[in-house]
Amino acid sequence: MHGTLVKESQGTKETSFAAPVQKKRIQLALLSCFLVLLLAFGEHLSRNTLLPLLAPRVDGTSNAFAVTAFTILQRVDTKLCSALGCINRPVSDFAAWKITSATLSPENAREGLKSAVNQSILQVEIQNRVAIAVLAPNLEISLTDAEESEIKSIQLTPKEWLPIAWQDAHSDFLRYGIAAGEQIQTELPLLLPPNAAGYRVRAFYP
């Protein structure tokens, strides 16, 4: 009898100890789910600020882990948007733009020698190098003399410098921006003053 009573008392103690452990596990699981939901809704509410802040570059200069993590974040964001709805607001980020090339050449060399004002063509290649859509910037072309002093500044809006064919294919670009990684080539006619010896091109937002 004595041995049996000891075993029963041990079983009772084990049962009494098991109940709090199970409760703690349930509480921990509920807390984890709550935190996940909180993070998800937080991302959804602050997505227009968070996504541009975390977006890596797509030109190969960003860490591979950052690119993978952002891809996962975008998938979660897409699912949340399909369930809850989203308002996409492209950002204005001049650091997103990389002018990969800019070449200025006379449209007609012979006419250029005869004319006081030379008609030239500026060929520009520009790329959105971040992993989200970005609003198209303005372009500023600064013409300089032989001493690198600015003699003329030309500012072009997106509608003025983006190719017409590209604008026709992307009619909502002013609202949705230019897609991640997209590279655009454009040709801009310029009238150069006779003392023009150099030029600079930059992207900016007014």
Side-chain angles (χ1 to χ4, degrees):
M1 294 292 292
H2 184 269
T4 304
L5 289 174
V6 171
K7 290 181 180 179
E8 289 180 356
S9 63
Q10 288 178 347
T12 303
K13 288 181 180 180
E14 289 175 358
T15 303
S16 63
F17 283 132
V21 172
Q22 290 178 351
K23 287 182 179 179
K24 287 183 180 179
R25 288 178 179 174
I26 294 174
Q27 290 175 351
L28 183 61
L30 291 175
L31 181 61
S32 299
C33 291
F34 175 75
L35 289 175
V36 170
L37 289 174
L38 186 63
L39 289 173
F41 280 105
E43 186 278 335
H44 180 70
L45 293 175
S46 60
R47 61 185 302 275
N48 287 317
T49 302
L50 185 63
L51 291 178
L53 183 64
L54 298 178
R57 294 180 179 178
V58 295
D59 58 358
T61 58
S62 291
N63 183 278
F65 175 78
V67 175
T68 302
F70 188 76
T71 301
I72 295 173
L73 179 62
Q74 281 186 308
R75 290 175 183 173
V76 173
D77 179 70
T78 301
K79 291 182 179 180
L80 287 174
C81 285
S82 62
L84 303 176
C86 288
I87 299 176
N88 290 313
R89 296 172 182 170
V91 295
S92 301
D93 183 7
F94 73 91
W97 298 100
K98 180 180 180 181
I99 298 176
T100 56
S101 69
T103 305
L104 184 63
S105 57
E107 187 177 38
N108 190 313
R110 292 182 179 178
E111 291 182 4
L113 293 174
K114 298 177 182 179
S115 176
V117 180
N118 299 329
Q119 178 74 40
S120 299
I121 296 294
L122 178 64
Q123 297 175 322
V124 177
E125 190 174 89
I126 186 171
Q127 181 186 25
N128 172 16
R129 56 180 178 171
V130 297
I132 59 171
V134 179
L135 290 173
N138 288 12
L139 287 186
E140 182 181 62
I141 304 162
S142 300
L143 301 176
T144 58
D145 58 17
E147 297 178 353
E148 296 188 356
S149 298
E150 183 177 305
I151 56 177
K152 186 176 182 181
S153 178
I154 304 169
Q155 295 184 357
L156 302 174
T157 65
K159 283 196 171 184
E160 291 173 324
W161 71 263
L162 283 167
I164 299 299
W166 188 93
Q167 293 187 46
D168 292 340
H170 304 79
S171 57
D172 291 331
F173 75 93
L174 291 176
R175 180 180 178 185
Y176 295 109
I178 298 178
E182 183 155 1
Q183 198 162 2
I184 298 173
Q185 296 179 342
T186 185
E187 293 187 351
L188 306 169
L190 297 178
L191 291 175
L192 301 182
N195 59 334
Y199 61 94
R200 292 188 293 267
V201 183
R202 74 178 183 97
F204 75 100
Y205 290 96

